Amino acid sequence: MAPALSRTLGASSVAALRPSPSRGPRRAALAPQGKTCARGLRWDARSERAVGARCVSAVAEKAPAEEEEEAAAGEKFEYQAEVSRLMDLIVHSLYSHKEVFLRELVSNASDALDKLRFLSVTDPSMLADGSEMEIRIKPDPEAGTITITDSGIGMTKDELKDCLGTIAQSGTSKFLKALKENKELGADNGLIGQFGVGFYSAFLVAEKIVVSTKSPKVDKQYVWEAEADSSSYVIKEETDPEKMLTRGTQITLFLREDDKYEFADPTRIQGLVKNYSQFVSFPIFTWQEKSRTVEVEEEESKEGEEASEGEKEKKKKTITEKYWDWELANETKPIWMRNPKEVENTEYNEFYKKTFNEFLDPLAHAHFTTEGEVEFRSVLYIPGMAPLSNEEIMNPKTKNIRLYVKRVFISDDFDGELFPRYLSFVKGVVDSNDLPLNVSREILQESRIVRIMRKRLVRKTFDMIQDIAEKDDKADYKKFWESFGKFMKLGCIEDSGNQKRLAPLLRFHSSKTETDLISLDQYVENMPESQKAIYYIATDSLQSAKTAPFLEKLVQKDIEVLYLIEPIDEVAIQNLQTYKEKKFVDISKEDLELGDEDEDKEKESKQEYTLLCDWIKQQLGDKVAKVQISKRLSSSPCVLVSGKFGWSANMERLMKAQTLGDTSSLEFMRGRRIFEINPDHPIVKDLSAACKNEPESAEAKRAVELLYEAALISSGYTPESPAELGGKIYEMMTIALGGRWGRLEEAEATASETSVEFGSSEGTVTEVVEPSEVRTESDPWRD
């Protein structure tokens, strides 16, 4: 099996080439007598009408004993292949989109021009005819053809046999090998096609191909013809003077009926050239219909009399006429091929807007060349704003990265091969010389080159974002964070390998800043020496974070607390765990250590309120895991904190809101609830007295229940029965307000009497007065 094919064709393709006993007799028709060839596939023109594809192993003569051993092992068959079937497998296994045929043929034309340019260095006579080095594409909708003409090196008759008659043979790879052997010319990195099957992609859309070519090495011009389903091709000498070329190759595709209307359309061809071959180094012209305004003379006779021809007045009028002409399709130059020092910012911005159809300037760009193990050039951009559509956010198939191989567009449909999902907003172009031209997603996923490229692209992106963050003008990074902050937090969750680069880019609200966001570096710089952790609280809004009871003692001690107010924040921080050897601590969870506790006072409070804690636990039962004295409260009577393990109140709220969430896991993952009381608060002191003096008081028990329900809400939890909580509040309000201001019973009685009097009064009968009847004199209904 040919190495080039075995790497590319899938298992189903290779299966078609396996030996079959039924195909044994065909060997005589396919392989020449008395000859053997190297292991491989060869398309050989023994006549101008017949072609044989053969794969024969060179086997030395063996001793009779060895032959007997082989006979005992089983009968051997030689590989056979039908050329038409093999062509079909090659074409349809390598290419998933029909439109790539134009990219392949234009790349071949570009290679032909490159070869001519290199050879003309030592042999200037190659360019003696003086024709321009260019590519022209002319679609003909009426005839259903596409003609691609280049003024390149052309081919001789023998080269036609080698390049177009041998499957998977690359003329470019041979040329590169010759260049490397000749040190005077040196090796070239600009040649594109190095696989050898690009030409055959034309059979995706063509039922017949005619190649007319003229090499400057010979005086004759030859024509190569082949049909898609045929196992033969024809080579003949061109004799028609009207079809003679000065130099180069002309390929005419006779399109299939199904593809004729799409690919014979000039507008469609223009779009494909701009998409795939916009940055080819030679000019590409396409045949396009244009319009222009011209002035023509209009003849008018004088009014009232017949005038002779000489007396006719001549007036001019403007009309629009259509005509066909050549139009340059690749005006935009590949900016990444230039030296970054020579490119102005305005040029980068214009390239960005034109390539990605944007209207805002990018926030930043990075232009770099990577050399060494893998060589590629790239220009990356940070967009000026986030995507307008929610569907484009976190979408791995954003088509933001355009991959080129030697300035030829390959694809923009990647699923995380070049950039991780959280950097899907980055836009840019990547041009590599090390990838094959017929690259597919499967090849990208398995390519070591792509993995190396991905690491370097991600690193350059982080450097670009860091440069924005370090600018003196903080407005740009504020704009970046508003648009793409969620992406950075997602990266902390999905990319543990780059957390050290991501963490300094994060920004949060804090208890010491009203409007500005702070970084983790700023937080650590502001920390007192005694503080050993980074404190945070996760809530649903900035206002609820500012008024949370968990903050009271920390604010009193001037300890800064980060506010995590977006749903993704808490998960991102939990994945970071530490920053600069400082642990992240959730102040809404148990065992909060602030570092300056008075142990003697704590011991006294515990002894004094042990009975109250046990009594409250008895009243609340399984609703709480335990009741204890709080270290975090200063003004609130109580708070409900979650255990070390399991969800916080904020996470529990988010998980309940999941559309496809698993309700069975809520009870399992929900953290245990701990009821903390503030011994210095009057309500707690009153309950302590009730516990000691009247532990069975119904009012005291109702107060404990209401205190627990209020702590649920203030701590971020959702009460199980909001209506029941409302009833308890109304009951307590009735007790608290009853008789405080007195009731105006007499006024109520008077109002009641007035109401009864009004309702029972007979009143007078209201007379309805009808308006007088008025009729006009013109009334048709008048008597």
Side-chain angles (χ1 to χ4, degrees):
M1 195 67 191
L5 292 178
S6 62
R7 287 194 302 269
T8 309
L9 299 180
S12 61
S13 305
V14 176
L17 303 179
R18 290 182 177 174
S20 172
S22 63
R23 294 182 180 180
R26 297 191 60 174
R27 178 178 181 275
L30 292 174
Q33 298 296 327
K35 292 184 180 180
T36 60
C37 64
R39 187 182 299 270
L41 291 174
R42 182 179 177 87
W43 186 328
D44 185 22
R46 277 176 284 141
S47 66
E48 301 204 346
R49 295 172 108 32
V51 173
R54 59 189 183 277
C55 182
V56 184
S57 300
V59 182
E61 294 184 3
K62 299 180 180 178
E66 293 179 357
E67 292 179 356
E68 290 178 3
E69 291 177 1
E70 290 181 1
E75 186 178 2
K76 288 188 176 181
F77 295 90
E78 295 180 353
Y79 289 109
Q80 304 293 328
E82 296 179 6
V83 173
S84 58
R85 177 61 178 156
L86 184 60
M87 285 287 295
D88 182 69
L89 288 174
I90 290 176
V91 170
H92 293 91
S93 296
L94 289 177
Y95 305 103
S96 55
H97 300 288
K98 287 185 176 182
E99 62 189 32
V100 300
F101 81 93
L102 190 63
R103 179 194 75 185
E104 300 291 334
L105 295 180
V106 170
S107 300
N108 288 346
S110 175
D111 280 353
L113 291 166
D114 263 325
K115 293 173 189 176
L116 178 66
R117 185 179 61 186
F118 289 131
L119 294 176
S120 65
V121 174
T122 55
D123 187 2
S125 63
M126 292 277 188
L127 300 175
D129 57 7
S131 58
E132 295 290 335
M133 300 181 72
E134 61 189 14
I135 303 169
R136 294 184 180 269
I137 306 172
K138 186 176 183 179
D140 188 344
E142 295 181 0
T145 62
I146 302 175
T147 304
I148 303 169
T149 308
D150 69 77
S151 56
I153 188 64
M155 288 178 282
T156 63
K157 185 176 182 179
D158 292 337
E159 288 171 344
L160 273 175
K161 293 179 183 179
D162 290 339
C163 295
L164 302 188
T166 305
I167 299 177
Q169 175 166 306
S170 171
T172 300
S173 60
K174 284 187 175 182
F175 186 74
L176 279 176
K177 185 178 180 181
L179 284 178
K180 290 178 181 179
E181 291 174 356
N182 189 340
K183 296 181 180 180
E184 294 180 2
L185 292 176
D188 169 61
N189 289 327
L191 294 175
I192 301 169
Q194 295 183 31
F195 193 79
V197 293
F199 171 78
Y200 304 109
S201 66
F203 285 112
L204 286 168
V205 297
E207 59 186 7
K208 178 183 176 183
I209 301 177
V210 176
V211 179
S212 183
T213 182
K214 169 73 167 60
S215 172
K217 302 175 185 177
V218 296
D219 297 331
K220 295 181 180 181
Q221 179 173 326
Y222 294 96
V223 178
W224 181 96
E225 291 185 13
E227 294 184 0
D229 299 327
S230 175
S231 61
S232 63
Y233 60 88
V234 175
I235 298 179
K236 62 183 179 181
E237 185 178 342
E238 182 63 75
T239 56
D240 189 350
E242 295 182 358
K243 296 181 179 179
M244 298 303 290
L245 303 172
T246 56
R247 181 189 70 230
T249 302
Q250 184 178 81
I251 302 175
T252 303
L253 309 182
F254 294 85
L255 300 175
R256 302 174 188 268
E257 287 295 328
D258 296 341
D259 302 312
K260 190 176 295 184
Y261 297 102
E262 179 181 2
F263 295 110
D265 181 15
T267 305
R268 174 70 166 149
I269 294 298
Q270 178 90 338
L272 291 177
V273 172
K274 285 183 177 293
N275 187 39
Y276 287 103
S277 306
Q278 186 178 20
F279 302 109
V280 169
S281 54
F282 298 97
I284 304 173
F285 294 93
T286 58
W287 190 246
Q288 297 293 319
E289 185 181 28
K290 300 182 179 181
S291 60
R292 60 189 173 192
T293 57
V294 294
E295 290 185 349
V296 296
E297 294 181 350
E298 182 181 8
E299 295 183 353
E300 290 186 358
S301 301
K302 293 182 180 179
E303 294 182 1
E305 61 180 36
E306 294 182 1
S308 62
E309 289 188 13
E311 295 176 346
K312 289 181 180 180
E313 292 186 358
K314 294 182 179 180
K315 289 186 177 180
K316 290 185 178 181
K317 65 176 182 180
T318 302
I319 63 171
T320 302
E321 69 173 10
K322 294 184 178 180
Y323 68 102
W324 291 84
D325 197 4
W326 294 105
E327 181 177 324
L328 183 63
N330 56 338
E331 294 178 322
T332 308
K333 302 302 179 185
I335 198 171
W336 63 86
M337 301 299 292
R338 298 166 58 185
N339 187 339
K341 297 179 180 179
E342 300 174 357
V343 185
E344 301 290 336
N345 281 336
T346 54
E347 294 181 80
Y348 285 117
N349 294 345
E350 287 301 319
F351 178 81
Y352 168 75
K353 292 177 181 178
K354 186 177 293 185
T355 306
F356 299 102
N357 296 321
E358 291 285 345
F359 61 92
L360 291 177
D361 288 339
L363 287 176
H365 69 268
H367 182 184
F368 58 94
T369 301
T370 301
E371 297 178 350
E373 188 176 6
V374 175
E375 295 185 6
F376 67 92
R377 296 171 180 265
S378 180
V379 178
L380 301 179
Y381 294 94
I382 301 294
M385 62 180 293
L388 296 175
S389 172
N390 290 332
E391 295 179 358
E392 296 182 15
I393 298 177
M394 308 300 176
N395 181 9
K397 298 181 180 180
T398 52
K399 299 186 182 296
N400 286 340
I401 298 298
R402 297 175 61 85
L403 176 64
Y404 292 80
V405 174
K406 301 183 179 179
R407 304 179 308 281
V408 176
F409 174 69
I410 299 302
S411 178
D412 57 4
D413 184 16
F414 301 111
D415 193 2
E417 283 85 5
L418 291 177
F419 275 93
R421 186 167 69 126
Y422 66 91
L423 291 179
S424 60
F425 62 89
V426 178
K427 298 186 177 185
V429 296
V430 179
D431 190 350
S432 171
N433 292 347
D434 297 325
L435 289 172
L437 187 63
N438 58 323
V439 67
S440 64
R441 175 167 296 156
E442 291 76 15
I443 294 175
L444 280 178
Q445 290 173 342
E446 298 174 0
S447 174
R448 182 183 61 88
I449 298 172
V450 173
R451 290 195 292 271
I452 297 172
M453 289 171 61
R454 176 190 170 109
K455 287 182 180 179
R456 296 183 182 176
L457 288 170
V458 170
R459 192 181 308 155
K460 285 292 183 180
T461 302
F462 282 132
D463 293 342
M464 185 166 43
I465 298 173
Q466 189 64 42
D467 290 341
I468 303 175
E470 293 175 356
K471 283 184 180 179
D472 294 334
D473 184 8
K474 300 300 180 183
D476 284 348
Y477 194 76
K478 183 179 180 181
K479 189 185 299 182
F480 167 82
W481 186 254
E482 289 173 354
S483 299
F484 308 110
K486 293 183 179 69
F487 291 78
M488 299 294 100
K489 295 170 185 176
L490 178 66
C492 294
I493 301 171
E494 295 187 343
D495 192 356
S496 58
N498 283 312
Q499 284 182 349
K500 289 184 178 180
R501 292 190 177 97
L502 284 162
L505 302 174
L506 301 179
R507 298 292 184 270
F508 299 100
H509 291 279
S510 82
S511 57
K512 289 188 177 182
T513 58
E514 293 294 329
T515 56
D516 295 337
L517 301 175
I518 69 165
S519 66
L520 295 178
D521 288 328
Q522 290 173 303
Y523 183 96
V524 174
E525 289 175 6
N526 297 336
M527 285 172 53
E529 293 182 2
S530 59
Q531 185 176 336
K532 304 299 181 185
I534 300 174
Y535 298 106
Y536 70 89
I537 181 172
T539 61
D540 58 345
S541 67
L542 184 59
Q543 185 61 30
S544 62
K546 290 179 179 179
T547 56
F550 305 101
L551 286 171
E552 293 173 359
K553 193 56 83 58
L554 286 92
V555 172
Q556 187 177 345
K557 293 184 176 183
D558 197 31
I559 296 176
E560 191 170 15
V561 179
L562 297 177
Y563 296 153
L564 311 186
I565 59 176
E566 292 184 348
I568 197 174
D569 288 353
E570 186 173 1
V571 184
I573 289 295
Q574 287 174 354
N575 276 269
L576 285 179
Q577 296 183 350
T578 61
Y579 183 72
K580 292 187 175 180
E581 300 180 355
K582 306 287 184 182
K583 285 187 177 181
F584 288 98
V585 175
D586 186 352
I587 64 172
S588 68
K589 293 198 172 185
E590 67 172 327
D591 294 341
L592 178 65
E593 299 292 339
L594 300 179
D596 57 348
E597 289 82 2
D598 188 344
E599 294 182 0
D600 295 334
K601 187 177 180 180
E602 285 183 15
K603 191 177 291 186
E604 290 178 6
S605 297
K606 275 188 178 181
Q607 291 176 353
E608 183 179 353
Y609 288 95
T610 299
L611 182 62
L612 176 62
C613 291
D614 294 340
W615 181 70
I616 293 176
K617 175 67 174 76
Q618 184 181 357
Q619 304 306 317
L620 297 179
D622 294 336
K623 293 180 180 179
V624 296
K626 65 178 179 180
V627 181
Q628 64 185 24
I629 303 299
S630 178
K631 301 177 183 178
R632 69 192 87 207
L633 297 177
S634 61
S635 58
S636 298
C638 60
V639 72
L640 204 60
V641 301
S642 55
K644 280 185 177 180
F645 309 103
W647 291 332
S648 64
N650 181 66
M651 186 59 66
E652 186 177 322
R653 175 182 60 83
L654 293 175
M655 298 308 295
K656 282 182 178 180
Q658 297 299 311
T659 305
L660 302 177
D662 184 9
T663 54
S664 62
S665 66
L666 290 177
E667 291 297 326
F668 177 73
M669 290 300 298
R670 185 169 63 183
R672 63 175 190 160
R673 297 174 180 178
I674 298 158
F675 193 63
E676 292 189 355
I677 58 175
N678 180 8
D680 298 327
H681 199 277
I683 294 178
V684 176
K685 290 180 178 179
D686 289 341
L687 288 176
S688 178
C691 166
K692 294 174 182 177
N693 301 326
E694 198 174 347
E696 299 300 324
S697 170
E699 291 182 359
K701 291 181 180 180
R702 285 200 301 270
V704 170
E705 288 287 341
L706 187 59
L707 203 62
Y708 169 75
E709 299 283 354
L712 267 179
I713 297 175
S714 64
S715 302
Y717 293 98
T718 304
E720 295 179 1
S721 177
E724 186 178 345
L725 173 60
K728 291 177 183 178
I729 294 174
Y730 299 150
E731 185 181 355
M732 295 297 290
M733 289 177 66
T734 303
I735 296 173
L737 299 179
R740 173 168 291 187
W741 300 288
R743 288 188 176 88
L744 301 178
E745 296 179 359
E746 296 179 359
E748 290 178 0
T750 305
S752 177
E753 291 175 5
T754 304
S755 174
V756 172
E757 206 173 280
F758 178 78
S760 62
S761 60
E762 296 179 359
T764 58
V765 178
T766 305
E767 182 180 357
V768 179
V769 180
E770 296 288 343
S772 60
E773 186 176 351
V774 179
R775 293 185 179 181
T776 61
E777 293 181 358
S778 62
D779 188 356
W781 299 99
R782 188 173 183 178
D783 295 336

